[in-house]
Amino acid sequence: MTTQVEHNRMANAIRFLSADAVEKAKSGHPGMPMGMADVATVLYTKFLKFDPKHPNWPDRDRFILSAGHGSMLLYSLLHLTGYEDFDLDQIKNFRQMGYRTAGHPEYGHGEGIETTTGPLGQGIATSVGFALGERIMNARFGDSVVDHYTYVIAGDGCLMEGISQEAISMAGHMKLSKLIVLFDDNGISIDGPTSLSTSEDHKKRFEAAGWDVQQIDGHDPAAIEAAIAKAKTTNTPSMIACKTEIGFGAPTKGGTSATHGSPLGAEELAGARKKLGWDSEPFEIPADVRDAWLSAGARGAEDFNAWGSRFEGLEAALKDEFERRIEGKLPENWIEAFNDYKKQITEDKPKVATRKASENVLEVLTKAIPEMIGGSADLTGSNNTKTSVQAPITADGGYEGGYIYYGIREHGMAAAMNGLALHGGVLPYGGTFLVFTDYCRPAIRLSALMNQRVVYVMTHDSIGLGEDGPTHQPVEHVASLRAMPNVTVIRPADAVETAEAWAMSITNETGPTVLALTRQNLPVLRTEYREDNLVARGGYVISDCDGDRQVTLIATGSEVEIAMDAQAKLKADGIKAAVVSLPSWELFDAQSPEYRKDVLGSAPRVAIEALSVFGWEKYVGDNGKVIGMHGFGASAPAPVLYEHFGITADALVKAAKELV
């Protein structure tokens, strides 16, 4: 049993590694690590199930530092418990180029960092996905191999952000009992006391959402231990409000915002050493303290070995399936089922909205790929994201299903999908209207930053949605998503391209995909079956002309049909036009210069898209023309809107003739 003195020395190791690293960097946030060091010490020495020698062990507990500005807390813990990626050199070079110890924890920089937690609130919201991922995998594979907790340290900033309410509500409703939030209740934000900006009772918020709530002294190790032990016995998620002093130990700045986001300074740091009885020089850890921390890190080996024995005891088929899902590999038979479906739609030529075409291909994919977990932000019937094989995932009905009713929580849905992807074993997709990607944007950006395979099914993709009007008509959204690094945006033109877009989405292992899908019905334009995926090229000649082309018409989505009509009208007037479908700029830009030149040709170009014209000059050139939106839409039926804003075949013909 750890004595009070031993605990204090172990906690102080965190405090001074953190404060010294911030001091050396002359940048950072020492206050939170110093304040939460006691809580973190109890968590890592008494409860957290982890093994630094096997950092990606599937049944490890997940620790998420939602208050990511306090990153030195996490880095200190990883260093002290023996993670190879975080040696002392990493600690000494906090916030420096080329080191893993970035200003905020960045997923992929080093083992032990479960998720990127820069934007406040995203960490606690992502944790809902982690906890739900555990329940989903547990329902499939059982307690013997999936039985772990998700622990979160969150601060006032995380809980003030609106996304936290969506996360709290979802977790409570789903009764995610293996989710435990440790609230750093220090009453301080950057501007000063939180009383300047809020007077709400966070404990009552959590209670109202169905959480178990406790209030403790965050500097009392016995109280911390008892609270976490109790939280592990509840059948609801738990929040432990840990009353702490920010910058604990700092003689004049402790308990104030002065310790939040600035180095303590040499004099204050020396005073803290004296006050807490820490005699070691910067970055020096006494041997007994280092041994105690390494012992805490080593204790997980027994759990890991026991888990390994249980895993080996599984029947071969179940073991293989578990490994396949954790590794993110798709079942071998999915592509055969997919190609059979694609061949069928080239023959049947269904005239359907691409949102409906998406539903149809999902019927095939979710049968072949059971780890696909769908959902919608209360728009299931509009997004067409649920299939016949997907039962709802509910607290009362069980977590065996494949579909999540996220409610009207776009922020929370997107963050939870990141958590599901990061947890492993599931392939998440979820839908809302494209215009509401604004609500999903921070999480989409994190999907991209963390290279996560998350599929965003965004329907009602242009002014073509019609009567709901300009508040619901996404004009600038596709352009803004195209501007985001590592996001693949695909706006398919028909059912065949939609199927191919899905194939690209589920095989994209390095980032998220946004599918922009129509409300209005579109004819099948690709009527000849090809096994190769043309959408994978990003753009291709969908309809060529006889002889040398005089003009190239470029379009995406619903406007490809318009371009085909314009091509026929130009042909009747003796003008040779080729039509290029350009469903994904990102995929097209990744092709060879020779391929892109061959597709776009050397003739003048006209582009058409019922969205903002922003960015199209890249493809039409300085002398080309773009037909699209220069402002917001209006409320009217789609055909009326297209005519009103001049997004028509006649307008395309006129523009083409001016260039020929």
Side-chain angles (χ1 to χ4, degrees):
M1 178 178 289
T2 306
T3 68
Q4 181 72 49
V5 172
E6 290 170 334
H7 167 87
N8 290 346
R9 284 170 61 76
M10 293 177 77
N12 285 340
I14 295 173
R15 291 187 174 103
F16 288 103
L17 275 179
S18 300
D20 288 336
V22 170
E23 195 70 27
K24 185 173 185 293
K26 302 191 185 313
S27 173
H29 301 73
M32 194 282 271
M34 296 176 76
M36 284 297 279
D38 290 307
V39 174
T41 298
V42 173
L43 177 63
Y44 266 71
T45 59
K46 303 285 188 181
F47 294 99
L48 196 72
K49 183 172 66 173
F50 69 105
D51 183 356
K53 303 301 181 187
H54 302 91
N56 295 314
W57 166 30
D59 201 36
R60 69 193 182 279
D61 288 341
R62 275 35 170 206
F63 172 64
I64 297 170
L65 185 66
S66 186
H69 55 275
S71 56
M72 270 309 307
L73 176 73
L74 177 57
Y75 302 148
S76 296
L77 288 163
L78 295 175
H79 169 69
L80 291 166
T81 53
Y83 281 78
E84 289 184 4
D85 281 351
F86 293 91
D87 59 20
L88 195 58
D89 193 45
Q90 294 291 334
I91 304 300
K92 289 180 177 179
N93 287 280
F94 176 53
R95 289 188 165 218
Q96 303 308 303
M97 178 63 73
Y99 289 86
R100 298 185 178 98
T101 45
H104 292 74
E106 298 288 353
Y107 176 79
H109 282 210
E111 303 291 5
I113 300 174
E114 300 287 2
T115 183
T116 295
T117 52
L120 290 175
Q122 285 291 324
I124 189 172
T126 302
S127 74
V128 175
F130 276 101
L132 184 56
E134 189 273 345
R135 290 290 81 197
I136 291 170
M137 289 291 283
N138 173 271
R140 176 68 179 87
F141 296 99
D143 290 344
S144 64
V145 290
V146 183
D147 185 15
H148 53 264
Y149 285 80
T150 300
Y151 294 95
V152 184
I153 285 182
D156 283 291
C158 301
L159 300 189
M160 283 193 212
E161 291 286 358
I163 192 173
S164 71
Q165 183 58 34
E166 296 186 16
I168 293 165
S169 178
M170 278 195 292
H173 179 70
M174 293 179 178
K175 296 183 180 177
L176 299 178
S177 60
K178 290 183 176 291
L179 176 60
I180 299 175
V181 171
L182 302 157
F183 168 36
D184 180 17
D185 186 10
N186 60 38
I188 296 293
S189 62
I190 292 176
D191 282 349
T194 53
S195 58
L196 292 171
S197 57
T198 183
S199 56
E200 68 184 312
D201 186 330
H202 291 304
K203 298 186 293 296
K204 289 182 179 178
R205 282 178 63 202
F206 280 85
E207 287 173 350
W211 289 56
D212 180 76
V213 175
Q214 301 176 68
Q215 172 80 60
I216 62 168
D217 178 352
H219 299 300
D220 180 347
I224 298 165
E225 183 175 356
I228 296 176
K230 178 181 180 296
K232 293 185 70 172
T233 67
T234 67
N235 61 1
T236 66
S238 295
M239 188 274 264
I240 304 170
C242 307
K243 195 63 183 174
T244 61
E245 179 182 288
I246 190 171
F248 181 90
T252 67
K253 296 181 179 180
T256 74
S257 60
T259 68
H260 174 85
S262 301
L264 295 180
E267 183 177 346
E268 186 77 5
L269 194 46
R273 276 182 155 79
K274 182 177 180 180
K275 182 176 180 180
L276 295 177
W278 189 257
D279 299 327
S280 299
E281 294 296 313
F283 305 109
E284 287 186 5
I285 305 296
D288 63 317
V289 176
R290 182 168 292 283
D291 288 345
W293 269 115
L294 290 175
S295 177
R299 68 181 174 81
E302 184 177 343
D303 285 329
F304 172 79
N305 291 331
W307 177 85
S309 297
R310 295 194 301 273
F311 180 68
E312 289 302 320
L314 293 179
E315 57 184 69
L318 195 61
K319 187 165 64 173
D320 290 345
E321 178 69 2
F322 182 86
E323 289 180 329
R324 180 189 70 75
R325 292 199 193 186
I326 288 295
E327 292 171 7
K329 295 179 180 178
L330 298 177
E332 292 182 0
N333 66 336
W334 82 270
I335 191 66
E336 181 180 350
F338 170 80
N339 283 334
D340 287 345
Y341 170 74
K342 191 169 79 163
K343 185 176 183 180
Q344 177 188 329
I345 54 178
T346 58
E347 295 171 354
D348 295 347
K349 307 176 186 59
K351 185 174 183 178
V352 294
T354 54
R355 62 171 175 160
K356 179 63 178 177
S358 170
E359 179 185 28
N360 293 341
V361 70
L362 278 171
E363 279 287 339
V364 176
L365 294 178
T366 54
K367 288 175 184 175
I369 309 171
E371 65 267 30
M372 290 184 73
I373 302 296
S376 170
D378 200 52
L379 289 168
T380 296
S382 293
N383 301 146
N384 301 102
T385 40
K386 188 177 184 299
T387 70
S388 62
V389 299
Q390 292 176 315
I393 294 172
T394 65
D396 298 329
Y399 303 98
E400 296 87 354
Y403 196 78
I404 302 167
Y405 288 102
Y406 285 104
I408 309 161
R409 303 186 185 100
E410 293 90 349
H411 301 70
M413 174 184 73
M417 287 198 293
N418 280 339
L420 287 166
L422 288 161
H423 177 275
V426 297
L427 198 169
Y429 70 90
T432 185
F433 290 167
L434 180 60
V435 74
F436 300 135
T437 52
D438 282 343
Y439 288 167
C440 304
R441 180 170 300 277
I444 295 175
R445 189 172 188 270
L446 289 180
S447 301
L449 192 60
M450 296 188 289
N451 303 104
Q452 291 304 297
R453 179 170 54 180
V454 179
V455 186
Y456 296 91
V457 183
M458 299 300 172
T459 69
H460 296 61
D461 70 333
S462 74
I463 64 168
L465 67 88
E467 293 87 343
D468 273 347
T471 62
H472 280 53
Q473 290 166 8
V475 173
E476 76 280 17
H477 297 75
V478 165
S480 67
L481 290 164
R482 286 168 176 162
M484 193 180 290
N486 199 37
V487 175
T488 301
V489 182
I490 307 178
R491 188 167 183 250
D494 65 0
V496 178
E497 282 196 359
T498 303
E500 292 181 341
W502 264 109
M504 290 304 302
S505 301
I506 62 174
T507 55
N508 179 8
E509 298 181 11
T510 60
T513 305
V514 176
L515 302 179
L517 306 173
T518 68
R519 179 194 183 199
Q520 69 269 42
N521 292 337
L522 301 175
V524 169
L525 305 175
R526 294 255 305 276
T527 57
E528 183 178 332
Y529 173 72
R530 293 180 54 163
E531 188 170 310
D532 57 324
N533 189 325
L534 295 183
V535 167
R537 291 292 191 95
Y540 61 97
V541 178
I542 191 170
S543 180
D544 212 341
C545 57
D546 296 327
D548 295 336
R549 68 178 84 163
Q550 295 172 270
V551 66
T552 299
L553 311 178
I554 313 172
T556 76
S558 48
E559 288 70 70
V560 176
E561 177 190 11
I562 294 174
M564 300 275 270
D565 289 344
Q567 180 192 38
K569 292 184 176 185
L570 288 167
K571 183 178 181 180
D573 291 339
I575 298 173
K576 298 176 180 178
V579 178
V580 170
S581 178
L582 199 69
S584 176
W585 291 13
E586 298 81 20
L587 294 174
F588 186 67
D589 290 349
Q591 306 305 308
S592 68
E594 293 78 15
Y595 177 81
R596 297 197 306 269
K597 183 177 180 181
D598 185 57
V599 169
L600 295 176
S602 57
R605 304 165 195 161
V606 185
I608 183 169
E609 189 173 52
L611 301 168
S612 169
V613 299
F614 185 86
W616 270 107
E617 62 276 1
K618 178 178 181 180
Y619 300 103
V620 300
D622 292 338
N623 299 318
K625 292 180 178 290
V626 183
I627 295 171
M629 296 295 293
H630 296 270
F632 295 110
S635 178
V640 176
L641 290 171
Y642 273 74
E643 189 70 33
H644 175 77
F645 289 107
I647 302 174
T648 63
D650 287 341
L652 195 51
V653 167
K654 181 176 182 292
K657 287 181 175 180
E658 290 173 354
L659 295 177
V660 173

